[in-house]
Amino acid sequence: MTYEQAYKDHQYLWKTYGAADDMTGGYVDQEDLDRLLKSPTKAVAKLCLCRQIDYWFQVGPDDGVDIPGNKAPQLIILDPIVREIAERHGCL
């Protein structure tokens, strides 16, 4: 997969459904920033994007409600683009 595809997939999930739940707790996005600052390459950026996409499918989007529940499986069924992204990233 290319950096461009990973970025497009990330943008679709984040813009359409929102960031993954608990991006500053359960997933420490500062670690991605640290990786990028140490090695600002497309390869590292792609790795960070893919890690965040994988996490999105693990926990689902942040809906602002403190009720547990991953909505990603429902979205895989309802949105064919989300399903394509899940397949591309091995998250089914």
Side-chain angles (χ1 to χ4, degrees):
M1 172 182 330
T2 65
Y3 160 81
E4 289 77 17
Q5 184 64 59
Y7 183 78
K8 182 179 173 183
D9 292 347
H10 186 278
Q11 287 294 103
Y12 184 81
L13 296 173
W14 263 245
K15 298 275 186 200
T16 306
Y17 296 106
D21 189 37
D22 200 15
M23 285 294 290
T24 58
Y27 183 97
V28 183
D29 54 358
Q30 289 296 311
E31 292 174 4
D32 288 334
L33 176 59
D34 188 50
R35 281 185 188 89
L36 285 167
L37 291 173
K38 286 179 182 171
S39 180
T41 65
K42 278 190 173 182
V44 172
K46 182 181 104 172
L47 171 73
C48 293
L49 289 166
C50 290
R51 285 172 34 89
Q52 289 188 12
I53 290 168
D54 291 347
Y55 182 71
W56 191 94
F57 281 105
Q58 289 173 29
V59 300
D62 181 9
D63 59 7
V65 179
D66 288 334
I67 299 171
N70 181 351
K71 293 175 186 64
Q74 297 167 9
L75 294 172
I76 289 170
I77 294 167
L78 298 173
D79 185 331
I81 296 172
V82 172
R83 181 169 181 79
E84 288 174 23
I85 294 169
E87 289 173 352
R88 196 167 20 256
H89 290 267
C91 295
L92 285 181

